[in-house]
Amino acid sequence: MKKIIGIIAAVAMATSVFAADISAKARLDGSLFNFDGANISMLQAEHAIQNWNPTLSLATSGDKAGASFSYFVSGWKKNYSIAAKDDADPSKGYDFKAEDAKGNNYDTTNQQFAIWFSPFDGFKITVGHFSTNLNQETIDWCNTETQVEYDGYMLSYGSNGFTADVLIKAWDDAWMSKKKDQDATLQEIFLKLGYGADFGRIGFEFDMQQKNKMFFGLGYNNTFGSVNMFVNAMGVMYQAGDSMKFGKIRYELFASTSIDTIGISAFIAGDVNTDDTIGASLSWWRLGHNEVGGKTSLGSTLKITYPIGSVGGYFYFKDNNFMAEKFACEIKPGFTGSCGSMGWELALDMNINTANENAFSINVPVNFTVAW
C-alpha cells in the first residue's frame, strides 16, 4: 500500500511541475481523377508519406527543463534513386528517378529526440534535434535556404531583443575526431545572431559545413501596415586551390497582406552562379534552384486565399525557374473546409512542362485529416 501511495504521489508531483502535451493526427490522401498526359486513372486512395509531418508528437515542459520526440510513418510506394548525370563530371548535376514498386511498406520511426534545460534566465541548452532559419515563407513552408536542421548540441541566449544560437552537429559521430597519423575531422558547426527593435529584425548566420565549404546568410523582416515582408541573402564559399571562392549567391523575398477577406502571399527566390568551375549547388529541390553552369535563376510562388460561403478557396501558382530554357509551371485552384473534427482539401492541380514528351498533366487531389 505504501508503495502505491508513493507512486501516486510521485505522478501527482510530476504533473504539477511539468506540462505534458500529446498531439496526433490521421491523414489520408487520394486522387479523384488523374491524367499524366498519356494515362488516365480515377478514385485512388493512400496514406501519403510525409517524412516532415509527424503522426504523433509528445512533449513535456517545465520552468527549467523539457523534452520532446515524434513518431513518423516511413516507407515508400515508389523506389527513388539519384544518379550523376555525368560520372566523369558530377558537377553537372544529378537525375532524380522514381521506379514504381507494388504495394506500400509502412514503418513507424521514432525521431527528433530533444531535451532542453535552462540553468539560468536567458540561457538554454538543447541536446538532440533542433531546426532554425532566418526567415521562412508561409506558402509552402520549406523554401528558404537559410533553414538548418540536425541533431547535436545547441546553446541559446536571448536578452533585450538580442538572440544568439550556436549549433554543433554531433549525432552518432563525434563533432571532432582524430585518428592516429591522420588530420582531425570536424562535423558541421552553425552560428546564428539576431536583433529586433522598432526598425524590424535583422539576422545573420554562418554555417561551417566542411573545412572547405562555408555558408552564410543575412536576413531582415518587418511589418508595414498590413504587409508582412522579409528578404534573405545567402552565399556559399568553396576552397579552390589555395583560396576560397564564391560558388553561388542566393536571394529570397517574401510579402503577404490581406485586403478585406482576401489574403495574398508571394515568394521570389533564385540563384546566381559566380564560378562555373565550382560544384556550388544548394538544396536542388528548393524554389529557384539552378545547376552549376546556369548563370541565374528566378522562381516564384503566389497564393491567394478567399472565403466562399462556409469553405475557403485558394489559388496557387508556381514556376520554379522563369529563366529555364523550357517553360514549366504549376497552377492549382482549390478548396478547404471541415466536417466536424475532420478537415478536408480538394484541388485541381495542373502542371505544364514543355521539357517532357507529355507537356500537360492534371490531377484532382483530395486529403482528409483528423487531429487531436
Side-chain angles (χ1 to χ4, degrees):
M1 178 64 70
K2 291 182 178 179
K3 183 180 291 186
I4 295 175
I5 294 175
I7 293 173
I8 294 174
V11 172
M13 184 179 294
T15 55
S16 66
V17 175
F18 289 90
D21 181 22
I22 300 175
S23 60
K25 62 176 165 287
R27 171 172 169 143
L28 293 177
D29 298 80
S31 173
L32 304 184
F33 174 83
N34 182 273
F35 172 68
D36 64 5
N39 307 300
I40 295 176
S41 61
M42 296 179 64
L43 296 179
Q44 175 262 345
E46 66 177 353
H47 173 73
I49 302 300
Q50 296 179 330
N51 58 1
W52 65 91
N53 196 355
T55 299
L56 176 65
S57 297
L58 300 95
T60 183
S61 62
D63 294 334
K64 291 293 185 179
S68 62
F69 61 92
S70 300
Y71 288 90
F72 294 78
V73 175
S74 61
W76 297 97
K77 188 175 181 180
K78 292 185 177 181
N79 295 327
Y80 291 93
S81 62
I82 300 177
K85 290 182 177 180
D86 187 344
D87 292 334
D89 185 5
S91 67
K92 291 184 177 179
Y94 297 87
D95 282 326
F96 185 71
K97 299 179 179 180
E99 298 177 358
D100 288 326
K102 293 182 178 180
N104 293 287
N105 180 22
Y106 294 135
D107 298 316
T108 301
T109 60
N110 194 193
Q111 300 178 35
Q112 297 188 355
F113 289 90
I115 292 177
W116 65 267
F117 56 97
S118 179
F120 54 85
D121 290 344
F123 183 65
K124 178 180 175 182
I125 299 174
T126 302
V127 183
H129 181 81
F130 187 79
S131 65
T132 187
N133 57 67
L134 289 179
N135 297 291
Q136 177 67 276
E137 49 83 24
T138 56
I139 299 176
D140 294 313
W141 292 91
C142 65
N143 277 311
T144 180
E145 197 65 51
T146 67
Q147 179 77 26
V148 171
E149 183 173 9
Y150 53 74
D151 300 81
Y153 295 88
M154 184 191 70
L155 310 178
S156 301
Y157 176 77
S159 178
N160 297 321
F162 172 78
T163 59
D165 298 304
V166 179
L167 287 77
I168 301 171
K169 188 174 183 180
W171 195 253
D172 291 334
D173 295 329
W175 172 68
M176 190 281 291
S177 60
K178 184 182 186 306
K179 296 182 179 180
K180 184 178 180 180
D181 300 327
Q182 295 184 15
D183 294 337
T185 60
L186 300 176
Q187 289 205 73
E188 197 167 346
I189 186 169
F190 173 87
L191 170 66
K192 176 184 171 184
L193 303 174
Y195 181 72
D198 294 339
F199 59 82
R201 185 166 187 83
I202 57 174
F204 167 79
E205 64 181 26
F206 176 78
D207 189 2
M208 177 70 78
Q209 299 176 344
Q210 303 170 12
K211 289 192 300 183
N212 59 353
K213 181 181 178 182
M214 296 181 293
F215 173 91
F216 60 89
L218 292 170
Y220 170 76
N221 70 73
N222 203 353
T223 299
F224 301 95
S226 64
V227 178
N228 177 265
M229 58 77 64
F230 75 72
V231 56
N232 292 333
M234 293 137 282
V236 184
M237 294 187 70
Y238 290 78
Q239 185 169 354
D242 296 329
S243 61
M244 298 293 292
K245 290 185 177 181
F246 278 105
K248 187 183 291 287
I249 296 173
R250 179 173 170 86
Y251 54 91
E252 300 174 350
L253 300 94
F254 174 79
S256 65
T257 189
S258 59
I259 303 174
D260 292 328
T261 59
I262 299 175
I264 305 172
S265 299
F267 179 63
I268 298 172
D271 296 345
V272 178
N273 286 335
T274 58
D275 192 325
D276 294 343
T277 66
I278 300 176
S281 62
L282 300 173
S283 300
W284 58 268
W285 51 269
R286 284 198 166 107
L287 183 78
H289 166 75
N290 68 33
E291 296 178 354
V292 174
K295 290 296 184 182
T296 60
S297 61
L298 173 65
S300 178
T301 54
L302 170 70
K303 189 171 185 179
I304 301 173
T305 60
Y306 44 88
I308 304 178
S310 60
V311 303
Y314 68 84
F315 174 84
Y316 174 88
F317 172 83
K318 176 181 178 181
D319 190 318
N320 191 62
N321 187 5
F322 287 100
M323 311 295 288
E325 293 183 5
K326 301 293 185 178
F327 176 74
C329 75
E330 179 182 8
I331 301 172
K332 184 179 175 183
F335 303 93
T336 61
S338 63
C339 180
S341 61
M342 185 202 73
W344 58 266
E345 180 177 359
L346 176 69
L348 181 64
D349 193 1
M350 297 170 284
N351 284 268
I352 301 171
N353 190 347
T354 58
N356 294 338
E357 179 180 354
N358 301 317
F360 178 76
S361 64
I362 184 170
N363 185 32
V364 184
V366 61
N367 69 68
F368 311 91
T369 305
V370 174
W372 62 95

